[in-house]
Amino acid sequence: MQAMSSSITKDEPATELFTGWTKKVIGYVAILILVNVMVDTVLASPTFVLPELSDAFDTNQFAWIDSSAMLAGATWAPLLGKSADIYGKRKVLVITLIVAGFGGVVCMLAPHISVFVIGRVLQGAAVAALFLTVAIIRDICATKFSMVVTGIVTSGSAVFGIVSPFVLEFATDEFGWKFVFVVSAVFAGVAALCVRFVIPDSRNTAPGKVDVKGALTLGGGLAGVLAYISLGQEFGWLGAGPLVVLILGVAALLTWYFVLSRIPEPVINIRGISLSLGLGLLVVVMGTGAYRSMLQLFSLLIDVSPDEGLGYGIAGPGALGLMFGIPSIGIMLGGVVAGAIGTRIGNAWPLAAGVTLGTIAAFVMFTVGADNLPIAVVCSFMLSMTAGSLVTSGFNLASVLAPPERQGTVSSMVMVMVAVGSVTMSFIGSAILGANEIIVDGEALNSSTGVHAYIAVAGCAFILAAVPTFFLVRRMRTQVVPDAA
């Protein structure tokens, strides 16, 4: 088994690629999993306390509370991916962890929803941390081995997810919703120290410059279009404010595409995306979007008892832990299995399996699971396997198709798709629920029609994802994964 040179120190880049497990690899993997545990505390943990956050800030815009960090991540990702390729992945990862940790502190101390959203925007830097861990793996491991390690790193944080819902359910009852953000800030600080002093510096960097103007224009355009979906729900789809936001967002995207994407070193070389990578990105954006929207819905269903007779609701003893804890095993299983399968038959097949599982889970949830906790837990487990498979296979597909010196940039494209899909579907789901509210005893509640329409839209997203999946499988069925970089 080939190992890296023993002369490597914490400040020296790796000179050889690992092809198997060593003590060093295990140590690196443990730290990168810790980084992704922090990412989970940013992206997933707030969903456990959505009702409490809505009450604390007197708002029904739960999509903004839940998805503002992911939306910010879509803005951060291209800029940080390009920076990582130029200045080094370890350095940029440490910076993102520090920014995300500071964002957690802002959220914890926020006196108003606007300040809270600023904190979530800062926490959005954590989204970049996920794809940077994947890029670092590609820097230190040979191609086939890196695919297995990627599955473990991207889904290994789910081990924490098995126990965290049970712990957070108790802790938030005792200390309130702010405890979630204390945990996030602490994990960010510890992870930043571990990465800086243990993980080797980047082996592959590329000369160039970062197109900050292009990154901000692209991110601003995405934010504008997605914000319209949320604002239109409250202020009207033809309201002056939402329409201005939409027009500015579309104008920014068009400016980026026709002007800024044509410069010699664009933040994302969209015209250089191969057909295979493009198909993979389409699968990721729709599949992960559907999964994330369902995760958000589960948080709302847990807050309603089926005894209320609304036609939905799964509240019960330990419901939070059952819905978010046990299914974490599915994320880990889906990611690890997808990585192992990818080394043998390519990454298109695990993507197809993930889309199939997600479609089945959405159908079962729509028909019998919205008011049945045991069935909802099974569906959540299946959707978690979908998430693990899609994320791992998406990153592995990108790493195989991209040269070593562009791993950060190409991995950021995958993360942008994850973020865009998640935010879009969450906002669409929020709009569906808002448009179908009912009044019970003077209180506005989600209707059964809204909940089931929400699930149906997520199921349709999985079905749509099957289309590019089919063509990707046909295109890559003869793919041979190389043994080395």
Side-chain angles (χ1 to χ4, degrees):
M1 176 172 60
Q2 181 183 7
M4 300 173 76
S5 170
S6 60
S7 64
I8 295 173
T9 68
K10 64 178 180 293
D11 290 316
E12 294 176 339
T15 56
E16 297 179 7
L17 296 175
F18 285 110
T19 58
W21 294 102
T22 69
K23 291 182 179 179
K24 278 189 175 181
V25 173
I26 294 173
Y28 297 153
V29 167
I31 291 172
L32 296 177
I33 288 176
L34 175 63
V35 171
N36 288 331
V37 167
M38 186 280 300
V39 176
D40 286 347
T41 65
V42 170
L43 300 181
S45 295
T47 63
F48 303 158
V49 292
L50 275 182
E52 290 84 352
L53 288 170
S54 295
D55 292 340
F57 295 112
D58 191 25
T59 179
N60 63 354
Q61 291 295 304
F62 61 85
W64 273 109
I65 293 174
D66 179 40
S67 301
S68 48
M70 189 69 85
L71 173 59
T75 305
W76 283 101
L79 179 63
L80 295 175
K82 185 71 173 180
S83 298
D85 283 338
I86 295 174
Y87 301 112
K89 301 173 184 66
R90 185 186 69 179
K91 181 184 296 183
V92 175
L93 178 55
V94 171
I95 292 172
T96 64
L97 292 169
I98 293 172
V99 172
F102 180 67
V105 174
V106 173
C107 289
M108 179 182 63
L109 301 177
H112 188 268
I113 183 64
S114 58
V115 179
F116 179 84
V117 170
I118 291 173
R120 291 291 283 163
V121 168
L122 293 173
Q123 280 195 304
V127 172
L130 175 58
F131 75 77
L132 287 174
T133 61
V134 175
I136 287 174
I137 291 168
R138 189 67 176 86
D139 253 7
I140 63 178
C141 297
T143 301
K144 276 194 172 182
F145 184 50
S146 73
M147 292 169 67
V148 176
V149 177
T150 295
I152 294 173
V153 168
T154 56
S155 60
S157 59
V159 174
F160 174 80
I162 296 171
V163 298
S164 62
F166 298 96
V167 174
L168 289 175
E169 185 172 18
F170 169 79
T172 53
D173 286 342
E174 291 292 320
F175 306 108
W177 59 265
K178 293 185 178 182
F179 183 81
V180 169
F181 298 96
V182 173
V183 171
S184 179
V186 170
F187 271 117
V190 172
L193 291 173
C194 291
V195 170
R196 173 60 185 86
F197 293 107
V198 179
I199 299 296
D201 208 354
S202 297
R203 180 174 62 92
N204 298 299
T205 56
K209 61 181 181 179
V210 179
D211 178 23
V212 177
K213 181 191 295 185
L216 294 178
T217 303
L218 175 60
L222 291 172
V225 173
L226 296 174
Y228 168 76
I229 299 174
S230 177
L231 296 175
Q233 170 194 346
E234 185 171 358
F235 300 106
W237 300 108
L238 298 179
L243 282 178
V244 169
V245 171
L246 176 63
I247 291 170
L248 291 176
V250 172
L253 290 176
L254 292 175
T255 300
W256 178 80
Y257 181 78
F258 288 108
V259 180
L260 297 179
S261 69
R262 297 178 184 274
I263 66 174
E265 292 185 52
V267 65
I268 290 180
N269 182 14
I270 193 170
R271 293 171 181 81
I273 297 177
S274 66
L275 179 57
S276 295
L277 179 57
L279 290 170
L281 294 177
L282 284 176
V283 176
V284 169
V285 71
M286 290 183 282
T288 57
Y291 162 73
R292 283 288 301 175
S293 69
M294 290 294 291
L295 188 67
Q296 179 175 268
L297 180 65
F298 290 152
S299 180
L300 300 175
L301 295 181
I302 288 170
D303 201 44
V304 177
S305 170
D307 296 333
E308 294 181 34
L310 295 174
Y312 67 92
I314 54 175
L320 178 63
L322 290 170
M323 287 299 295
F324 291 101
I326 294 177
S328 294
I329 301 173
I331 295 179
M332 183 170 57
L333 183 62
V336 172
V337 171
I341 292 176
T343 64
R344 299 177 180 275
I345 59 176
N347 297 295
W349 286 106
L351 282 173
V355 170
T356 302
L357 270 178
T359 304
I360 295 172
F363 175 78
V364 174
M365 195 70 193
F366 178 84
T367 53
V368 294
D371 59 353
N372 188 306
L373 179 59
I375 292 177
V377 170
V378 173
C379 292
S380 182
F381 181 84
M382 294 172 65
L383 287 165
S384 297
M385 288 190 65
T386 293
S389 178
L390 291 180
V391 172
T392 295
S393 300
F395 279 123
N396 278 337
L397 179 68
S399 69
V400 169
L401 297 176
E405 67 275 6
R406 292 187 62 236
Q407 288 295 314
T409 301
V410 175
S411 294
S412 75
M413 294 183 193
V414 179
M415 205 62 235
V416 168
M417 292 298 102
V418 171
V420 169
S422 299
V423 173
T424 301
M425 291 298 297
S426 293
F427 283 158
I428 290 174
S430 176
I432 291 172
L433 293 179
N436 290 278
E437 285 184 342
I438 57 174
I439 305 299
V440 178
D441 296 330
E443 182 181 1
L445 299 174
N446 296 320
S447 67
S448 177
T449 300
V451 168
H452 284 86
Y454 189 122
I455 298 171
V457 169
C460 288
F462 279 123
I463 293 171
L464 289 174
V467 177
T469 302
F470 172 78
F471 289 105
L472 181 64
V473 168
R474 289 193 61 184
R475 183 174 179 81
M476 302 196 70
R477 59 188 171 187
T478 58
Q479 175 200 30
V480 178
V481 180
D483 290 312

